[in-house]
Every structure is written in C-alpha cells, then in structure tokens.
Amino acid sequence: MGGMQRTKAVVVAYFLIYVVWGSTYYFIGVALQGLPPFLLGALRFTAAGLILLAWCRLKGEPVFRKSLIGKSAVSGIILLFIDMAVVMLAQRYLNSSLVAIIASSTAIWIMAFDVPMWKRNFRTPAVVTGIITGFLGVVMLYIEQLHPGETGGDDACAAVRSGGGGHSEYGVLILVFGCVSWALGTLYAKYRSSGEEAVNAFAGSAWQMLFAAGMFWLVAIAGGDVANTDLTSVPSYVWLALAYLIIFGSLLAYSAYVWLLKVRPATEVGTHAYVNPFIAVFIGMTFGREHVTCIQLAGLLVILLSVMLVSRRK
C-alpha cells in the first residue's frame, strides 16, 4: 500500500471508529426492543464473521492457519464477547446516551493498563491527573444513578432513568467491567497478536467475530434466549437495526479498529472515545428522544478532559 493510499485508509478507518461506532449505541438499543441481548450478539457476529471470512477467502488469504485462529480466539472473546455482552446488558438499565458517556472512559483504562508504556505515559503530572480525573468522572455518574431523582424537575437537567427501569447503578458497574475488558483486549491485540495477524488483519477480525458468536450462542441457548424468542414476531425495524450493526458496526468499523491497532499506537486509536459519546448523545436525543442530565453532561466533559490530558503526554 502506497503512502497516499495508506493515509486515505487511515482517515477512512478513523471516521468509521469515530462516527459510525458512535451511532451503534443507538441501534443496539433499537435492536434490543425485539431481540434478547445474547441472541442479538449471536446473530450479529455470526453473520458479520462469516461474510468477512468468505471475503478474505475469495481474496486468497490463508484464513485457516492455526496461529491466526488461536490468537484471534482470545482477542474475540475478550474484545467482542465480554465487552458487547455487558454493553447490551447495561442498556437494560441505562439509555444509549449514558452508556456511551461511560464508555468514553475506555481510553483511560487503556492508558492505565498499558504496562509496557508506563515509563513513558506516567512521567508527566498531566497524565496522572488525567487518569484520576477520568475515574472521578465515572464515579460521578455512578453516584447519580444511586440517587436518580434528587435533582427534580422536568427540564433538560432533570435526572432521567431510562433503559430497563430500576437499579440503573447496576448498569454503570456492568459497563465499567466492559470498559476494562475492552482495554485489556485492545492491549492484547496490540502486543500479543502474531505477525501473521498483522498481515491478515481482516481474517483475524473474522475469526474474532466467529469466536465471539460461538460464546453468544452458548449463552443464548443455555439462558433460554433462543427457545423463548419467536423470530417471526420480531418487528422489521429491529431487523434493520441488526443489519446496520452487522454491516457498519462490525464489518466496517470493527475491522477498521483492528487494522488501526496494527498501524497506529494503541493509545491514539483509543481516542475514538473523544467522538463516540457526542455522536451517541446527539443521535439518542434526536432520534431516541432520550434525556441527558446536567450531571451526565458534566461527567462526559470530565472524562473527555481526562482523555485529552493523558493524550498530551510528551
């Protein structure tokens, strides 16, 4: 790939993980109106994984090598299954806007767990301040969910419980666990993936999706999601949301994310957390008619400020 083509590819990839990924929070919420979480994940990643694997095979890539499959299995389970499962479970308690706001702390977790880069990352006070500030932003949002009705009022600053109803604090805890899992999976993909995965990044993405899909199917079957869901009664808008998640969220955006990890620094790639929450909040408020509280907006600004601080390390 030439220098100009590589630059264009990087720009397109960042657009996908910045803007398109930000929109998926809303579409996950729409899809969950007709499909249970684990069945949704199973359908999404089975379709996306098989399509991408077939495409790679048609291009002549060696998609069935043991080293590629083995490394992709670990990344897929940590990056996709655990993280996406908790995101969907969290949206039973929280609306898509708040989920995206809390998920914006992912860049902080990546920095905190990037052990090989500790010496470089933590040599300036701004980085330490940024990480502490990011954690405080998450704590701020968690405390708000413990007392969701105290601000009162019906205006834009009124606290609103949405998603699945009560115990919204559970959604925050579940989502933080997912952010940690995503950070660990990102660093595993960065440092432990084989050279073969770097060359065959899209084939690796396909296997990651298929292994994640396998885990989703196991849980969906064991938990009764499959037996208790009548697919013929699922509304058409739910299928459209699922199609969007397969094509744009998985085939395009996730593949772009995995490829960027091979060619750009992990912390830089993690800055998709700057834009994702704003896209998610805008779409959630515009199309989903979600209300965002002043505390949630303040939490978003605190978290993004912390991400900016840690990204300005020297």
Side-chain angles (χ1 to χ4, degrees):
M1 184 182 291
M4 182 62 69
Q5 287 181 320
R6 188 183 185 88
T7 300
K8 290 180 179 179
V10 169
V11 171
V12 171
Y14 270 112
F15 173 82
L16 290 170
I17 70 169
Y18 278 6
V19 180
V20 173
W21 249 356
S23 69
T24 58
Y25 291 98
Y26 170 74
F27 287 98
I28 287 173
V30 173
L32 287 173
Q33 294 176 22
L35 293 169
F38 292 104
L39 181 57
L40 171 59
L43 293 172
R44 174 183 177 181
F45 291 114
T46 297
L50 289 176
I51 293 171
L52 187 57
L53 191 68
W55 180 75
C56 291
R57 185 63 175 171
L58 288 174
K59 287 182 57 184
E61 293 188 23
V63 298
F64 293 107
R65 293 191 178 181
K66 290 183 179 180
S67 59
L68 176 67
I69 296 173
K71 293 287 186 180
S72 299
V74 177
S75 299
I77 292 173
I78 298 176
L79 266 176
L80 285 180
F81 171 67
I82 296 179
D83 181 74
M84 292 309 304
V86 298
V87 166
M88 291 186 291
L89 289 174
Q91 286 194 221
R92 287 184 168 182
Y93 302 97
L94 310 171
N95 64 37
S96 63
S97 297
L98 184 54
V99 168
I101 291 172
I102 298 173
S104 66
S105 67
T106 298
I108 305 300
W109 295 107
I110 291 175
M111 178 72 73
F113 291 120
D114 194 356
V115 177
M117 296 293 289
W118 274 1
K119 186 175 181 179
R120 177 185 176 188
N121 291 340
F122 291 103
R123 66 185 182 183
T124 60
V127 172
V128 178
T129 302
I131 290 179
I132 294 174
T133 303
F135 292 150
L136 290 176
V138 174
V139 171
M140 178 191 307
L141 295 173
Y142 178 71
I143 292 175
E144 186 211 21
Q145 298 309 307
L146 288 175
H147 307 285
E150 288 188 356
T151 58
D154 297 323
D155 59 11
C157 289
V160 176
R161 281 175 114 162
S162 56
H167 295 295
S168 53
E169 70 276 10
Y170 295 170
V172 175
L173 293 177
I174 291 171
L175 194 55
V176 168
F177 175 78
C179 291
V180 171
S181 173
W182 183 268
L184 294 176
T186 293
L187 294 171
Y188 179 89
K190 179 68 177 178
Y191 294 115
R192 300 297 299 277
S193 59
S194 64
E196 185 178 18
E197 279 187 284
V199 175
N200 301 316
F202 294 115
S205 298
W207 283 115
Q208 289 175 18
M209 293 178 196
L210 290 175
F211 277 104
M215 295 298 297
F216 274 113
W217 280 117
L218 286 175
V219 179
I221 293 172
D225 282 2
V226 174
N228 297 327
T229 302
D230 180 10
L231 295 180
T232 61
S233 65
V234 175
S236 58
Y237 66 84
V238 171
W239 292 117
L240 290 174
L242 175 59
Y244 181 91
L245 293 172
I246 291 171
I247 297 171
F248 293 97
S250 296
L251 289 176
L252 296 179
Y254 183 71
S255 295
Y257 181 79
V258 172
W259 178 75
L260 279 172
L261 286 174
K262 309 303 177 186
V263 300
R264 305 301 301 173
T267 304
E268 178 186 299
V269 178
T271 58
H272 63 85
Y274 286 130
V275 181
N276 286 171
F278 288 105
I279 298 296
V281 169
F282 175 78
I283 293 177
M285 294 178 67
T286 303
F287 298 100
R289 297 181 180 179
E290 297 175 354
H291 295 279
V292 179
T293 72
C294 286
I295 294 178
Q296 291 169 11
L297 289 176
L300 172 60
L301 293 177
V302 167
I303 291 171
L304 293 186
L305 173 62
S306 68
V307 176
M308 292 174 65
L309 286 172
V310 300
S311 297
R312 292 179 60 188
R313 68 192 187 286
K314 304 295 183 181

